[in-house]
Amino acid sequence: MTGRWEGLSRSLMRNLPIKILALVLSLSLWYHISRTGNEYLTLTLPVTVSNLPPHLELNRATPDHVTVTLKGPHGMGSLIRPERLTILLDGRHFRPGRTNLPLETGNVALPSGIRVIHFSPPSLSLSILPLGRREIPIVPQFIGETRDRIAPIRIHVVPRQALVEGDRTLLSTISFIKTQPIELKTLSDKSAQTLSLSLVSPDPVRIRILSPRKVTIEIARSSRRR
């Protein structure tokens, strides 16, 4: 038994310097690969537009989020803040209408050494609206019935018009802006009543009411004829 251990010991000690050198080289190679090897990271980022001319508006980006795959050095996750990354589009040359925009690596601002190797989807569909502004009459919206059907009322709206911004084509088709509904049965028996109401956009996606935020509706019962 002792002879067997002595033989094994002599075998291990044979060419010991070469074996130690091989071990050191292996460890060095592993360390180098672990330090210089690439990492991959997949993120889903929102789409944003900058430098859009004031007469244009981004109506819709389809999709509004894009999945990207990043390639970078070992530990790149500590070099970026995913919550601050976006798909950034430069809108200074955008025109009204629909367009398909291929995505490029420059659409994501990343630290040196990290780059985008894949977009999903590889392009976006953009809908750009030409903006216009108009002053449009305000019309109160009533629902239901009054307690006294034969009692006429007089209505005064302050202000009478709203400043509206949005798709120029759609704006040209709008004749009036409605208020929030007024329940006629809730009107009091007072000779005059004042309500503060918000306005209702006919198309919240394409039309914005700039002012006023609210209007005053003065409702007065007309005198009955005797």
Side-chain angles (χ1 to χ4, degrees):
M1 187 71 176
T2 302
R4 182 179 299 177
W5 280 110
E6 290 178 352
L8 180 60
S9 176
R10 286 195 297 270
S11 177
L12 291 174
M13 295 299 293
R14 188 180 300 123
N15 299 322
L16 182 61
I18 296 177
K19 292 178 179 178
I20 293 176
L21 178 61
L23 178 61
V24 171
L25 290 175
S26 298
L27 291 174
S28 298
L29 180 61
W30 172 84
Y31 178 78
H32 177 73
I33 292 175
S34 66
R35 293 290 294 175
T36 60
N38 291 317
E39 282 190 2
Y40 298 87
L41 182 63
T42 298
L43 301 171
T44 299
L45 306 179
V47 176
T48 59
V49 177
S50 64
N51 303 320
L52 194 65
H55 64 281
L56 297 178
E57 180 180 50
L58 175 65
N59 178 42
R60 185 178 294 108
T62 307
D64 57 4
H65 283 71
V66 175
T67 299
V68 300
T69 300
L70 307 180
K71 178 181 179 181
H74 178 76
M76 72 170 175
S78 62
L79 302 177
I80 61 175
R81 293 189 176 182
E83 69 277 6
R84 294 188 177 182
L85 296 179
T86 65
I87 304 295
L88 183 59
L89 308 178
D90 187 350
R92 70 186 68 191
H93 299 302
F94 284 0
R95 295 183 178 181
R98 291 186 176 274
T99 184
N100 287 323
L101 184 68
L103 294 173
E104 302 175 349
T105 56
N107 292 128
V108 184
L110 295 167
S112 177
I114 302 175
R115 62 188 180 92
V116 179
I117 61 172
H118 182 69
F119 290 100
S120 180
S123 64
L124 297 174
S125 175
L126 303 179
S127 174
I128 307 297
L129 298 180
L131 287 183
R133 287 188 178 186
R134 276 187 61 203
E135 287 191 337
I136 300 177
I138 298 171
V139 175
Q141 181 180 189
F142 292 94
I143 58 175
E145 297 179 347
T146 59
R147 294 190 181 95
D148 186 352
R149 296 187 181 183
I150 64 173
I153 57 177
R154 291 181 289 106
I155 301 170
H156 184 55
V157 182
V158 181
R160 295 184 177 182
Q161 293 184 322
L163 180 60
V164 181
E165 179 183 70
D167 180 3
R168 189 178 297 120
T169 302
L170 180 58
L171 276 180
S172 65
T173 67
I174 298 175
S175 301
F176 55 85
I177 298 293
K178 293 181 180 180
T179 65
Q180 289 178 315
I182 303 171
E183 284 274 4
L184 287 173
K185 65 181 180 181
T186 63
L187 298 181
S188 68
D189 294 330
K190 297 178 181 178
S191 58
Q193 189 172 0
T194 301
L195 303 176
S196 179
L197 298 172
S198 299
L199 300 179
V200 180
S201 172
D203 188 334
V205 175
R206 302 165 63 191
I207 295 294
R208 286 193 303 273
I209 299 172
L210 300 181
S211 66
R213 295 296 182 183
K214 290 189 175 183
V215 296
T216 300
I217 309 295
E218 297 177 353
I219 302 173
R221 293 183 180 275
S222 298
S223 300
R224 296 183 182 180
R225 294 181 180 178
R226 295 182 179 180

